[in-house]
Amino acid sequence: MGCVSLRPKGAAVAPVTLDISRQELTVHLERAFLVSVALPDRPWVSKDPLDELRGLATTAGAVVVGGLTQRRDQLNPATYIGKGKVTELHELAQAADADVIIFDNDLSAPQVRNLEKATELKVLDRSELILDIFATRARSVEARLQVELAQLEYSMPRLKNMWTHLGRIKGGIGLRGPGETQLEEDRRLVTLRIRDLKERLVEVQARKEREVFSRREEHTVSLVGYTNAGKSTLMNALTGAGVLAEDKLFSTLDTRTRQWHLKDWGRVLLSDTVGFIRDLPHHLIASFKATLEEARQARLLLHVVDASNEAAEEQIKAVNGVLKELGCGHKAMLLVLNKADRLPEPSSLHVLMKHHPQSVAISAATGQGLDDLREAVIEALGADFADAEVVTGVANGRVLSYLSAHAEILHQQYEDRVVKIRCRLPRHLLHHIQGSDVQVRFLDGTESNHGSEE
């Protein structure tokens, strides 16, 4: 969106610039007027319908100068809001000296065009605002590729309406107007760039998967949750990592992994991931799958929730929805109710904990409840362990050395040329001792006979 530099992979020529009619979709330092519409299938989730949108606009660098809300049974196909509200919006935005109008809803390209014509101001929807924030905060090459891909895929179906200003110029028989010609050129350039970005992101995804797979023997825990729930603050409190922690939405885009040493347990690799949000654009979710690979492969997810937010339950549902879309819905998960120190009434915390028994109340800022969290994490990770008896030959150095390094040896018994080892080890590491000369019997009575040597 905006001016997009396009160059096919391997091209030596200077980048081609796609000049779109809506040239600057950023809202940095602009005066923003906010609009939120409640529909039966998308109701408001807090007492202040503009609260989250206000936070998004502020994070993007805009100055909020006013707002308008409306309840509707169904949206207006032409302008989303009703005709009377469009007139009211125009008057209020002009009176507030606004530069841009931001909707807390996703608009179609014709709706944006009609609203911009009626209000004489630039109009952005929720997805465009979120993409603008991600583009501003993307630092690594990987994040920039992901954001650009999401932006282009979002703008692709909207290109048709970006050249209507040339539509009046029509050619004769066999000729096409310049608007139609430019549209085809733009589509070709955007399609080439999308293909290029997808190829590069496939490489990024493969590299990330190899990196994560190399840590498969480690105990890995990932922090996930709604944006601004306090994940980075919690990571700093647990690991002393010193990562950036701001009271802003989407302060973290790139996954960071640090060592977390648990007393009486050992080392755990803790990862901080990008925050989620309600109605997160699907293109953005698809683009950021490489960034979220840590969460996809983690042994345990710590779902961090801002317990002081009145929309906490809705935020939990939104995060669970995104996790399901990413294929993480089956993961072992512990709900972490953060910011417990900010709750005016303890009763609201008790209600949350009653609804979610597998939860721990903490305050990452003050340290309250962190010991309880550590114990809960140890218990959750320990559930993956099994007490087993491993029988193998005394000359099987590979298995014996592996068990010595990765298992808690409880008892060893040698009989002739066979050794019986009673131990406690993680179930997910059992494949490392597979072999035709290895027999594993779990102490619950089940038996596992493995096949050929790895």
Side-chain angles (χ1 to χ4, degrees):
M1 298 188 291
C3 290
V4 182
S5 178
L6 301 172
R7 185 164 108 186
K9 189 175 182 179
V13 296
V16 179
T17 299
L18 170 62
D19 187 14
I20 300 176
S21 59
R22 302 180 71 205
Q23 295 216 347
E24 279 296 332
L25 293 182
T26 180
V27 297
H28 184 62
L29 298 180
E30 289 189 316
R31 295 170 62 83
F33 195 90
L34 311 181
V35 181
S36 181
V37 180
L39 296 168
D41 60 344
R42 192 182 184 275
W44 292 320
V45 297
S46 64
K47 295 178 182 177
D48 181 1
L50 296 173
D51 181 53
E52 185 170 271
L53 184 62
R54 189 180 298 111
L56 286 169
T58 303
T59 298
V63 178
V64 178
V65 295
L68 178 69
T69 61
Q70 183 182 30
R71 294 181 185 272
R72 292 187 64 86
D73 293 331
Q74 59 183 9
L75 58 86
N76 186 318
T79 55
Y80 206 92
I81 56 177
K83 185 177 180 180
K85 279 293 182 181
V86 172
T87 302
E88 183 182 353
L89 174 60
H90 179 218
E91 294 173 353
L92 291 174
Q94 293 292 341
D97 194 24
D99 302 309
V100 60
I101 296 171
I102 305 176
F103 273 71
D104 193 28
N105 311 81
D106 281 340
L107 308 176
S108 67
Q111 288 167 347
V112 170
R113 184 180 69 248
N114 294 335
L115 285 166
E116 288 183 336
K117 183 178 179 180
T119 62
E120 301 176 307
L121 289 173
K122 180 172 66 177
V123 175
L124 269 68
D125 66 10
R126 180 183 176 89
S127 289
E128 288 174 317
L129 179 61
I130 293 174
L131 287 169
D132 177 41
I133 295 172
F134 271 62
T136 303
R137 291 186 172 269
R139 294 291 181 266
S140 68
V141 173
E142 177 184 333
R144 288 173 181 171
L145 289 174
Q146 291 165 331
V147 171
E148 184 182 352
L149 175 60
Q151 287 178 317
L152 288 175
E153 289 189 327
Y154 184 81
S155 64
M156 184 68 168
R158 290 162 170 75
L159 287 176
K160 183 178 179 180
N161 292 278
M162 292 178 177
W163 290 102
T164 52
H165 61 294
L166 297 177
R168 303 184 190 90
I169 309 173
K170 296 184 181 293
I173 296 175
L175 300 176
R176 292 172 295 179
E180 192 173 354
T181 304
Q182 185 64 58
L183 174 60
E184 286 189 359
E185 179 69 10
D186 287 351
R187 279 177 172 165
R188 184 180 69 82
L189 293 173
V190 172
T191 300
L192 285 173
R193 182 58 176 168
I194 287 176
R195 185 182 66 185
D196 181 25
L197 289 170
K198 284 185 174 180
E199 288 176 356
R200 294 174 67 182
L201 281 173
V202 166
E203 297 173 1
V204 170
Q205 178 79 24
R207 185 171 65 249
K208 190 67 177 180
E209 287 178 354
R210 290 194 299 269
E211 178 185 333
V212 175
F213 185 74
S214 68
R215 299 197 292 265
R216 64 192 182 279
E217 296 183 6
E218 302 278 358
H219 299 291
T220 53
V221 178
S222 279
L223 299 171
V224 298
Y226 212 77
T227 181
N228 207 32
K231 297 185 299 299
S232 296
T233 302
L234 178 57
M235 186 172 191
N236 288 337
L238 296 176
T239 68
V243 299
L244 176 67
E246 294 182 292
D247 189 16
K248 288 184 178 181
L249 305 180
F250 300 116
S251 62
T252 301
L253 288 191
D254 298 300
T255 300
R256 284 81 57 93
T257 302
R258 301 291 186 271
Q259 293 186 20
W260 179 20
H261 294 278
L262 292 173
K263 185 179 180 182
D264 300 327
W265 174 268
R267 186 182 74 168
V268 167
L269 295 183
L270 183 67
S271 298
D272 182 18
T273 61
V274 60
F276 303 148
I277 198 168
R278 185 170 57 102
D279 300 330
L280 189 66
H282 289 280
H283 294 314
L284 206 53
I285 296 174
S287 298
F288 270 75
K289 280 188 176 178
T291 299
L292 294 165
E293 187 63 25
E294 296 282 357
R296 287 157 58 90
Q297 300 296 334
R299 300 290 171 196
L300 175 66
L301 299 180
L302 297 185
H303 180 171
V304 184
V305 180
D306 179 0
S308 66
N309 193 305
E310 63 179 19
E313 284 287 1
E314 292 298 325
Q315 292 181 357
I316 291 172
K317 292 177 183 177
V319 171
N320 288 337
V322 177
L323 289 173
K324 186 176 180 180
E325 190 170 345
L326 289 168
C328 298
H330 65 285
K331 289 284 183 185
M333 187 182 304
L334 182 64
L335 200 68
V336 182
L337 303 175
N338 191 26
K339 305 184 183 181
D341 57 313
R342 296 189 183 182
L343 284 164
E345 292 291 335
S347 58
S348 56
L349 179 62
H350 295 155
V351 171
L352 275 173
M353 297 189 75
K354 185 176 180 180
H355 288 172
H356 305 279
Q358 296 294 323
S359 62
V360 180
I362 70 160
S363 169
T366 67
Q368 171 190 338
L370 293 187
D371 288 338
D372 294 336
L373 176 60
R374 292 185 184 97
E375 291 178 7
V377 168
I378 290 174
E379 182 178 351
L381 291 175
D384 184 45
F385 277 69
D387 290 332
E389 182 180 74
V390 180
V391 181
T392 187
V394 294
N396 195 339
R398 179 184 66 85
V399 170
L400 296 179
S401 62
Y402 191 86
L403 290 177
S404 178
H406 297 91
E408 180 184 357
I409 306 298
L410 304 176
H411 179 72
Q412 293 186 78
Q413 180 181 350
Y414 292 88
E415 296 179 0
D416 295 329
R417 304 185 67 180
V418 173
V419 58
K420 294 182 179 179
I421 303 173
R422 181 168 292 190
C423 60
R424 191 165 188 261
L425 77 165
R427 290 179 183 270
H428 69 270
L429 298 182
L430 283 172
H431 66 280
H432 287 288
I433 60 174
Q434 289 177 350
S436 58
D437 58 345
V438 180
Q439 186 181 66
V440 178
R441 182 177 66 86
F442 296 114
L443 297 189
D444 59 5
T446 60
E447 189 169 314
S448 176
N449 290 299
H450 300 284
S452 60
E453 190 89 14
E454 278 192 329

